[in-house]
Amino acid sequence: MDNVTVVAHPLVQHKLTLMRDKTTSTKGFRQLLREIATLLCYEVTRDLPLTTTQIETPLTTMQAQVLAGKKLVFAPILRAGMGLIEGMLDLVPSARVAHIGLYRDPVSLTAVEYYFKAPSDLSERPVIVVDPMLATGNTAVAAVERLKEYGASELRFVCLLAAPEGIANLHRHHPDVRVWTAAIDQRLNDHGYIIPGLGDAGDRLYGTR
Ligand code: URA
């Protein structure tokens, strides 16, 4: 699939299997999501541009590599996106965080916004939108739209699981947004859940079922 990277690393796949298992506890699910988030973050930042700066080692001066440009922005879609954020901040501690409150209307499956707070200079920063489940894609489309309205121009999307329908929807509306995911599952069911999936990521993360 164009514009999609499946992170096939064995550690990611092993942890994902544990997360899919319905007997995994809330505590275990949360910890695993945090761990996978760090690994996904490593992949999504793989091609960030570098520049050089002069430093002094204990022995000499050298031109050493550092990340170029302004700090990254992670944009979790509330609430399940928060489950990935700490693991990503472990790897990029100086990243900024934009919060996007969107929920899926259970009947229409469309995205409804209830909160938005982002750094004012989004146009100068790469933005990584974060949500564990790319299901219908409606929420992802709405989040990207909102971030673009606010000035973002360089966007990427990180999720744990994607449905083919969700990827197609996101790319129909936003072909410029590349997706990183741990797996592409078979399909959506009639309620918009990913099959085989792992259930409701927010409920499993916060123990609300
Ligand atoms: N959101 C979830 O949490 N799980 C799904 O399977 C689809 C959307």
PDB file of all heavy atoms in Angstrom, residues 158-179:
ATOM      1  N   VAL A 158       0.523   8.117  13.102  1.00  0.00           N
ATOM      2  CA  VAL A 158       1.001   6.876  13.727  1.00  0.00           C
ATOM      3  C   VAL A 158      -0.161   6.177  14.417  1.00  0.00           C
ATOM      4  O   VAL A 158      -0.901   6.801  15.188  1.00  0.00           O
ATOM      5  CB  VAL A 158       2.084   7.177  14.786  1.00  0.00           C
ATOM      6  CG1 VAL A 158       2.389   5.941  15.611  1.00  0.00           C
ATOM      7  CG2 VAL A 158       3.351   7.652  14.113  1.00  0.00           C
ATOM      8  N   CYS A 159      -0.319   4.893  14.132  1.00  0.00           N
ATOM      9  CA  CYS A 159      -1.334   4.113  14.840  1.00  0.00           C
ATOM     10  C   CYS A 159      -0.787   2.721  15.121  1.00  0.00           C
ATOM     11  O   CYS A 159       0.270   2.336  14.601  1.00  0.00           O
ATOM     12  CB  CYS A 159      -2.628   4.038  14.037  1.00  0.00           C
ATOM     13  SG  CYS A 159      -2.463   3.291  12.418  1.00  0.00           S
ATOM     14  N   LEU A 160      -1.538   2.006  15.926  1.00  0.00           N
ATOM     15  CA  LEU A 160      -1.143   0.643  16.279  1.00  0.00           C
ATOM     16  C   LEU A 160      -1.738  -0.324  15.253  1.00  0.00           C
ATOM     17  O   LEU A 160      -1.055  -1.205  14.737  1.00  0.00           O
ATOM     18  CB  LEU A 160      -1.688   0.358  17.680  1.00  0.00           C
ATOM     19  CG  LEU A 160      -1.372  -0.943  18.325  1.00  0.00           C
ATOM     20  CD1 LEU A 160       0.124  -1.073  18.529  1.00  0.00           C
ATOM     21  CD2 LEU A 160      -2.090  -1.021  19.675  1.00  0.00           C
ATOM     22  N   LEU A 161      -3.014  -0.143  14.977  1.00  0.00           N
ATOM     23  CA  LEU A 161      -3.727  -0.997  14.019  1.00  0.00           C
ATOM     24  C   LEU A 161      -4.458  -0.128  13.015  1.00  0.00           C
ATOM     25  O   LEU A 161      -5.058   0.893  13.394  1.00  0.00           O
ATOM     26  CB  LEU A 161      -4.793  -1.827  14.723  1.00  0.00           C
ATOM     27  CG  LEU A 161      -4.354  -3.026  15.526  1.00  0.00           C
ATOM     28  CD1 LEU A 161      -5.590  -3.782  16.026  1.00  0.00           C
ATOM     29  CD2 LEU A 161      -3.504  -3.948  14.676  1.00  0.00           C
ATOM     30  N   ALA A 162      -4.463  -0.570  11.756  1.00  0.00           N
ATOM     31  CA  ALA A 162      -5.207   0.157  10.725  1.00  0.00           C
ATOM     32  C   ALA A 162      -6.109  -0.819   9.984  1.00  0.00           C
ATOM     33  O   ALA A 162      -5.750  -1.978   9.757  1.00  0.00           O
ATOM     34  CB  ALA A 162      -4.236   0.807   9.743  1.00  0.00           C
ATOM     35  N   ALA A 163      -7.293  -0.338   9.616  1.00  0.00           N
ATOM     36  CA  ALA A 163      -8.165  -1.096   8.708  1.00  0.00           C
ATOM     37  C   ALA A 163      -7.918  -0.554   7.293  1.00  0.00           C
ATOM     38  O   ALA A 163      -7.680   0.647   7.133  1.00  0.00           O
ATOM     39  CB  ALA A 163      -9.625  -0.876   9.090  1.00  0.00           C
ATOM     40  N   PRO A 164      -8.019  -1.405   6.275  1.00  0.00           N
ATOM     41  CA  PRO A 164      -7.822  -0.918   4.896  1.00  0.00           C
ATOM     42  C   PRO A 164      -8.764   0.241   4.571  1.00  0.00           C
ATOM     43  O   PRO A 164      -8.374   1.194   3.898  1.00  0.00           O
ATOM     44  CB  PRO A 164      -8.146  -2.151   4.038  1.00  0.00           C
ATOM     45  CG  PRO A 164      -7.966  -3.323   4.951  1.00  0.00           C
ATOM     46  CD  PRO A 164      -8.271  -2.858   6.340  1.00  0.00           C
ATOM     47  N   GLU A 165      -9.995   0.167   5.124  1.00  0.00           N
ATOM     48  CA  GLU A 165     -10.982   1.242   4.867  1.00  0.00           C
ATOM     49  C   GLU A 165     -10.504   2.580   5.440  1.00  0.00           C
ATOM     50  O   GLU A 165     -10.722   3.639   4.847  1.00  0.00           O
ATOM     51  CB  GLU A 165     -12.330   0.891   5.520  1.00  0.00           C
ATOM     52  CG  GLU A 165     -12.992  -0.372   4.989  1.00  0.00           C
ATOM     53  CD  GLU A 165     -12.634  -1.633   5.771  1.00  0.00           C
ATOM     54  OE1 GLU A 165     -11.480  -1.746   6.252  1.00  0.00           O
ATOM     55  OE2 GLU A 165     -13.485  -2.531   5.890  1.00  0.00           O
ATOM     56  N   GLY A 166      -9.873   2.521   6.604  1.00  0.00           N
ATOM     57  CA  GLY A 166      -9.402   3.741   7.267  1.00  0.00           C
ATOM     58  C   GLY A 166      -8.252   4.384   6.515  1.00  0.00           C
ATOM     59  O   GLY A 166      -8.192   5.603   6.358  1.00  0.00           O
ATOM     60  N   ILE A 167      -7.336   3.529   6.061  1.00  0.00           N
ATOM     61  CA  ILE A 167      -6.200   4.053   5.292  1.00  0.00           C
ATOM     62  C   ILE A 167      -6.711   4.706   4.010  1.00  0.00           C
ATOM     63  O   ILE A 167      -6.298   5.823   3.650  1.00  0.00           O
ATOM     64  CB  ILE A 167      -5.201   2.917   4.959  1.00  0.00           C
ATOM     65  CG1 ILE A 167      -4.578   2.355   6.240  1.00  0.00           C
ATOM     66  CG2 ILE A 167      -4.130   3.424   4.008  1.00  0.00           C
ATOM     67  CD1 ILE A 167      -3.762   1.095   6.038  1.00  0.00           C
ATOM     68  N   ALA A 168      -7.650   4.028   3.338  1.00  0.00           N
ATOM     69  CA  ALA A 168      -8.183   4.560   2.071  1.00  0.00           C
ATOM     70  C   ALA A 168      -8.879   5.897   2.308  1.00  0.00           C
ATOM     71  O   ALA A 168      -8.694   6.848   1.533  1.00  0.00           O
ATOM     72  CB  ALA A 168      -9.141   3.553   1.445  1.00  0.00           C
ATOM     73  N   ASN A 169      -9.670   5.975   3.376  1.00  0.00           N
ATOM     74  CA  ASN A 169     -10.389   7.218   3.688  1.00  0.00           C
ATOM     75  C   ASN A 169      -9.404   8.354   3.977  1.00  0.00           C
ATOM     76  O   ASN A 169      -9.523   9.461   3.426  1.00  0.00           O
ATOM     77  CB  ASN A 169     -11.311   6.968   4.892  1.00  0.00           C
ATOM     78  CG  ASN A 169     -12.271   8.115   5.147  1.00  0.00           C
ATOM     79  OD1 ASN A 169     -12.433   9.007   4.321  1.00  0.00           O
ATOM     80  ND2 ASN A 169     -12.903   8.103   6.302  1.00  0.00           N
ATOM     81  N   LEU A 170      -8.419   8.076   4.828  1.00  0.00           N
ATOM     82  CA  LEU A 170      -7.443   9.120   5.171  1.00  0.00           C
ATOM     83  C   LEU A 170      -6.709   9.602   3.914  1.00  0.00           C
ATOM     84  O   LEU A 170      -6.556  10.809   3.696  1.00  0.00           O
ATOM     85  CB  LEU A 170      -6.449   8.588   6.218  1.00  0.00           C
ATOM     86  CG  LEU A 170      -5.345   9.563   6.632  1.00  0.00           C
ATOM     87  CD1 LEU A 170      -5.930  10.843   7.236  1.00  0.00           C
ATOM     88  CD2 LEU A 170      -4.383   8.921   7.624  1.00  0.00           C
ATOM     89  N   HIS A 171      -6.314   8.658   3.079  1.00  0.00           N
ATOM     90  CA  HIS A 171      -5.527   9.049   1.898  1.00  0.00           C
ATOM     91  C   HIS A 171      -6.378   9.668   0.782  1.00  0.00           C
ATOM     92  O   HIS A 171      -5.858  10.417  -0.035  1.00  0.00           O
ATOM     93  CB  HIS A 171      -4.705   7.865   1.396  1.00  0.00           C
ATOM     94  CG  HIS A 171      -3.490   7.645   2.247  1.00  0.00           C
ATOM     95  ND1 HIS A 171      -2.824   6.458   2.328  1.00  0.00           N
ATOM     96  CD2 HIS A 171      -2.831   8.501   3.080  1.00  0.00           C
ATOM     97  CE1 HIS A 171      -1.798   6.586   3.165  1.00  0.00           C
ATOM     98  NE2 HIS A 171      -1.797   7.806   3.636  1.00  0.00           N
ATOM     99  N   ARG A 172      -7.684   9.338   0.788  1.00  0.00           N
ATOM    100  CA  ARG A 172      -8.578  10.017  -0.176  1.00  0.00           C
ATOM    101  C   ARG A 172      -8.644  11.517   0.152  1.00  0.00           C
ATOM    102  O   ARG A 172      -8.585  12.354  -0.739  1.00  0.00           O
ATOM    103  CB  ARG A 172      -9.981   9.383  -0.098  1.00  0.00           C
ATOM    104  CG  ARG A 172     -10.905   9.793  -1.222  1.00  0.00           C
ATOM    105  CD  ARG A 172     -12.130   8.891  -1.350  1.00  0.00           C
ATOM    106  NE  ARG A 172     -12.808   8.640  -0.090  1.00  0.00           N
ATOM    107  CZ  ARG A 172     -12.823   7.476   0.545  1.00  0.00           C
ATOM    108  NH1 ARG A 172     -12.201   6.422   0.026  1.00  0.00           N
ATOM    109  NH2 ARG A 172     -13.466   7.337   1.689  1.00  0.00           N
ATOM    110  N   HIS A 173      -8.716  11.831   1.457  1.00  0.00           N
ATOM    111  CA  HIS A 173      -8.818  13.238   1.869  1.00  0.00           C
ATOM    112  C   HIS A 173      -7.449  13.907   2.011  1.00  0.00           C
ATOM    113  O   HIS A 173      -7.320  15.108   1.779  1.00  0.00           O
ATOM    114  CB  HIS A 173      -9.573  13.351   3.197  1.00  0.00           C
ATOM    115  CG  HIS A 173     -11.027  13.030   3.075  1.00  0.00           C
ATOM    116  ND1 HIS A 173     -11.514  11.750   3.168  1.00  0.00           N
ATOM    117  CD2 HIS A 173     -12.094  13.824   2.838  1.00  0.00           C
ATOM    118  CE1 HIS A 173     -12.827  11.767   3.006  1.00  0.00           C
ATOM    119  NE2 HIS A 173     -13.199  13.010   2.801  1.00  0.00           N
ATOM    120  N   HIS A 174      -6.466  13.142   2.444  1.00  0.00           N
ATOM    121  CA  HIS A 174      -5.149  13.724   2.742  1.00  0.00           C
ATOM    122  C   HIS A 174      -4.039  12.817   2.191  1.00  0.00           C
ATOM    123  O   HIS A 174      -3.360  12.122   2.966  1.00  0.00           O
ATOM    124  CB  HIS A 174      -4.968  13.893   4.260  1.00  0.00           C
ATOM    125  CG  HIS A 174      -6.014  14.745   4.892  1.00  0.00           C
ATOM    126  ND1 HIS A 174      -6.083  16.107   4.676  1.00  0.00           N
ATOM    127  CD2 HIS A 174      -7.046  14.440   5.718  1.00  0.00           C
ATOM    128  CE1 HIS A 174      -7.110  16.602   5.360  1.00  0.00           C
ATOM    129  NE2 HIS A 174      -7.717  15.618   5.985  1.00  0.00           N
ATOM    130  N   PRO A 175      -3.853  12.806   0.870  1.00  0.00           N
ATOM    131  CA  PRO A 175      -2.844  11.908   0.286  1.00  0.00           C
ATOM    132  C   PRO A 175      -1.410  12.240   0.722  1.00  0.00           C
ATOM    133  O   PRO A 175      -0.506  11.407   0.564  1.00  0.00           O
ATOM    134  CB  PRO A 175      -3.005  12.127  -1.234  1.00  0.00           C
ATOM    135  CG  PRO A 175      -3.838  13.351  -1.395  1.00  0.00           C
ATOM    136  CD  PRO A 175      -4.586  13.578  -0.129  1.00  0.00           C
ATOM    137  N   ASP A 176      -1.206  13.412   1.275  1.00  0.00           N
ATOM    138  CA  ASP A 176       0.139  13.833   1.709  1.00  0.00           C
ATOM    139  C   ASP A 176       0.524  13.239   3.064  1.00  0.00           C
ATOM    140  O   ASP A 176       1.687  13.365   3.472  1.00  0.00           O
ATOM    141  CB  ASP A 176       0.175  15.368   1.811  1.00  0.00           C
ATOM    142  CG  ASP A 176      -0.927  15.907   2.729  1.00  0.00           C
ATOM    143  OD1 ASP A 176      -2.112  15.564   2.494  1.00  0.00           O
ATOM    144  OD2 ASP A 176      -0.604  16.636   3.685  1.00  0.00           O
ATOM    145  N   VAL A 177      -0.406  12.625   3.774  1.00  0.00           N
ATOM    146  CA  VAL A 177      -0.117  12.175   5.150  1.00  0.00           C
ATOM    147  C   VAL A 177       0.282  10.699   5.137  1.00  0.00           C
ATOM    148  O   VAL A 177      -0.551   9.813   4.913  1.00  0.00           O
ATOM    149  CB  VAL A 177      -1.344  12.401   6.069  1.00  0.00           C
ATOM    150  CG1 VAL A 177      -1.060  11.890   7.477  1.00  0.00           C
ATOM    151  CG2 VAL A 177      -1.706  13.886   6.107  1.00  0.00           C
ATOM    152  N   ARG A 178       1.553  10.453   5.409  1.00  0.00           N
ATOM    153  CA  ARG A 178       2.023   9.056   5.462  1.00  0.00           C
ATOM    154  C   ARG A 178       1.600   8.420   6.785  1.00  0.00           C
ATOM    155  O   ARG A 178       1.501   9.078   7.808  1.00  0.00           O
ATOM    156  CB  ARG A 178       3.553   9.012   5.351  1.00  0.00           C
ATOM    157  CG  ARG A 178       4.028   9.261   3.924  1.00  0.00           C
ATOM    158  CD  ARG A 178       5.516   9.539   3.887  1.00  0.00           C
ATOM    159  NE  ARG A 178       6.306   8.424   4.363  1.00  0.00           N
ATOM    160  CZ  ARG A 178       7.597   8.517   4.711  1.00  0.00           C
ATOM    161  NH1 ARG A 178       8.216   9.675   4.648  1.00  0.00           N
ATOM    162  NH2 ARG A 178       8.255   7.459   5.115  1.00  0.00           N
ATOM    163  N   VAL A 179       1.373   7.099   6.709  1.00  0.00           N
ATOM    164  CA  VAL A 179       0.887   6.349   7.890  1.00  0.00           C
ATOM    165  C   VAL A 179       1.943   5.332   8.324  1.00  0.00           C
ATOM    166  O   VAL A 179       2.516   4.634   7.483  1.00  0.00           O
ATOM    167  CB  VAL A 179      -0.423   5.604   7.540  1.00  0.00           C
ATOM    168  CG1 VAL A 179      -0.851   4.668   8.671  1.00  0.00           C
ATOM    169  CG2 VAL A 179      -1.548   6.597   7.221  1.00  0.00           C
TER     170      VAL A 179
END
